[in-house]
Amino acid sequence: MSISAPNALKAPPAMLTPEGAPAMSDWSMTATKIHLNHGSYGAVPIAAQQHQLRLKAEMDLNPCPWFMGQADMLAQTRVGIAEFLRVPADDMALVINASAGVTAVYNSLPFAEGAEIVTTDHTYGAVLEGAKRIARKHNGKVAVASVPLNADAALVVELVMAQVNERTALIVIDQITSATARSFPVVEIAAAAGKLGVPVLVDGAHAPGVLAKPVPDFDGFWVGNLHKFGCAPRGTAALVARGPLRHHLTPLIDSWGFPYTFPESFDHVGTQDITSWMAAKTAFDSLEERFGWDNYRTYAASLGDYGQHIVQNAFSALTGVDASVDVGMPVDPLRLIRLPRGLATTHEDSHAVRALISSELDFETAITTFGGAGYLRLSTHLYNTPADYEAFAERAVPALVRLAQQR
């Protein structure tokens, strides 16, 4: 059995530097792998790497004045990062990753006995486990809304809000999901929750760089990683808080910020190395000056269309099963493709399949599991080219189909 492919999509021209070199020359990633998993760990441009190294050298020349003035440096650093996120600097604190921001919210809010937290079955695993921890602490529970992969915005809002009751103390909702590569209608959910007086925490781990305005306008909490599509040095993330509950927020580690409230209290981090935060703006500015963020988003969308088309059609042609996936609310630089039956049906097996693709086929990918089915999650960034996805379709797809047939 074969599946007829739709009309072929035209491959977009690969991105080039202003000097005419491949965009990858602005990064330092190994040429022995094809990198299709920007969404997991990001990739730091050489310009930001070099800036961070200069900052580290300055720090180590004389640590005393560096650390004595670190809070002031952080306050200034927040201004540059806030500009990229298009939020006031006074609404934003810096944390090491989105999970740290989520945990700060969990640990800070005044939950009542029996408090419940509402989330979905698309929620990132660590975020879900943190919610369970807090619920147990207060003898409450986590209510998980089951959201079909292809749900539209209206259905998502309906299913999430159906879990809300008088004991609901917090709604935790993904802006862009990790395992299923789709977006959720966070603004609509925040509006519905606001009418009931229920606070909302938006996990925007993948949003910076993907969305021109990643922080939605609502009173509540938002966390986002800057090291993913924003390409900042790793360990750089933001926690945005608006509304009366923001004054409850405290850092994960008690330090000398105790006389202050959010966000100034988060600027006192002891001897933590903050050079990744200080070099973040260099990453943002470098990509804007050399490529343009709007150009990136346009390229990511067209390359995502092309890469998804090529790879899913290759799977479909070899298996006779449609590999396309309807994610309801798709995301331009993240694409989901169904793997052959029997692959990555558990979280543990997804890691094994990913490791095999890396070690034996030389592709770095994300393999995810949702609802007992395995998926390939493709990413697109400036350094990716149509040839990357063509190579995956030619070399990796047949190998994965053979692997599935052997199981």
Side-chain angles (χ1 to χ4, degrees):
M1 174 183 178
S2 63
I3 291 181
S4 59
N7 294 332
L9 291 176
K10 184 177 180 181
M15 291 293 287
L16 302 175
T17 68
E19 298 80 21
M24 180 62 93
S25 62
D26 274 27
W27 280 266
S28 59
M29 289 181 291
T30 176
T32 62
K33 303 281 186 181
I34 293 180
H35 301 269
L36 303 178
N37 187 22
H38 188 97
S40 285
Y41 306 108
V44 186
I46 294 171
Q49 294 180 40
Q50 292 175 339
H51 185 198
Q52 185 179 8
L53 288 173
R54 292 193 296 271
L55 290 168
K56 283 179 176 289
E58 181 183 346
M59 174 179 67
D60 287 324
L61 279 174
N62 194 346
C64 288
W66 176 276
F67 287 105
M68 292 297 291
Q70 187 167 250
D72 290 337
M73 288 190 291
L74 265 182
Q76 185 57 44
T77 297
R78 280 195 289 111
V79 172
I81 292 177
E83 289 175 357
F84 177 70
L85 294 177
R86 301 187 183 183
V87 297
D90 287 343
D91 286 346
M92 188 200 76
L94 293 173
V95 289
I96 60 171
N97 55 34
S99 295
V102 168
T103 303
V105 174
Y106 285 164
N107 290 353
S108 300
L109 291 187
F111 291 105
E113 185 73 3
E116 296 185 5
I117 298 174
V118 170
T119 188
T120 80
D121 54 352
H122 297 249
T123 296
Y124 188 63
V127 172
L128 176 60
E129 291 304 314
K132 291 178 180 178
R133 173 183 63 83
I134 288 297
R136 287 193 301 268
K137 179 179 179 181
H138 298 282
N139 296 313
K141 73 171 189 177
V142 176
V144 179
S146 180
V147 177
L149 194 54
N150 63 352
D152 63 12
L155 180 57
V156 174
V157 175
E158 176 186 338
L159 293 172
V160 169
M161 296 309 297
Q163 298 293 326
V164 175
N165 59 44
E166 66 278 1
R167 294 182 300 278
T168 303
L170 181 68
I171 296 174
V172 181
I173 190 76
D174 290 81
Q175 192 171 16
I176 296 172
T177 63
S178 179
T180 52
R182 58 159 293 154
S183 60
F184 274 162
V186 294
V187 172
E188 292 88 340
I189 291 171
K195 295 177 181 178
L196 302 175
V198 177
V200 173
L201 166 59
V202 172
D203 182 354
H206 292 274
V210 173
L211 305 177
K213 189 177 185 299
V215 186
D217 293 325
F218 74 105
D219 280 353
F221 308 99
W222 177 95
V223 296
N225 284 321
L226 303 171
H227 67 261
K228 291 183 182 282
F229 290 95
C231 293
R234 294 168 193 87
T236 308
L239 166 59
V240 175
R242 303 187 180 107
L245 289 176
R246 64 179 254 151
H247 296 297
H248 288 281
L249 291 181
T250 57
L252 289 179
I253 299 173
D254 291 322
S255 189
W256 292 99
F258 62 86
Y260 309 102
T261 58
F262 181 90
E264 287 81 5
S265 58
F266 283 71
D267 289 342
H268 298 260
V269 293
T271 52
Q272 178 182 323
D273 183 346
I274 64 166
T275 56
S276 60
W277 297 354
M278 296 176 68
K281 190 173 186 298
T282 299
F284 308 151
D285 291 349
S286 173
L287 267 63
E288 175 60 33
E289 292 165 6
R290 294 181 60 74
F291 303 100
W293 278 104
D294 288 341
N295 290 337
Y296 157 65
R297 284 183 276 270
T298 300
Y299 181 66
S302 58
L303 185 59
D305 289 342
Y306 180 76
Q308 180 180 15
H309 174 84
I310 291 293
V311 174
Q312 72 187 21
N313 285 349
F315 274 119
S316 299
L318 288 177
T319 65
V321 178
D322 187 1
S324 64
V325 183
D326 179 2
V327 297
M329 300 175 66
V331 182
D332 286 338
L334 284 173
R335 302 302 175 99
L336 209 63
I337 296 169
R338 192 180 308 277
L339 289 173
R341 187 185 302 274
L343 288 186
T345 57
T346 67
H347 185 67
E348 293 74 20
D349 190 40
S350 70
H351 287 298
V353 173
R354 183 210 58 77
L356 180 147
I357 294 171
S358 175
S359 63
E360 298 188 15
L361 303 174
D362 292 327
F363 293 91
E364 297 298 350
T365 60
I367 303 297
T368 69
T369 301
F370 182 76
Y375 298 92
L376 167 69
R377 192 192 74 188
L378 295 176
S379 298
T380 58
H381 214 283
L382 288 160
Y383 55 79
N384 290 124
T385 70
D388 294 340
Y389 307 91
E390 293 164 0
F392 190 91
E394 180 180 353
R395 290 172 20 215
V397 168
L400 290 171
V401 171
R402 288 194 297 270
L403 178 63
Q405 291 169 344
Q406 294 165 3
R407 293 192 170 189

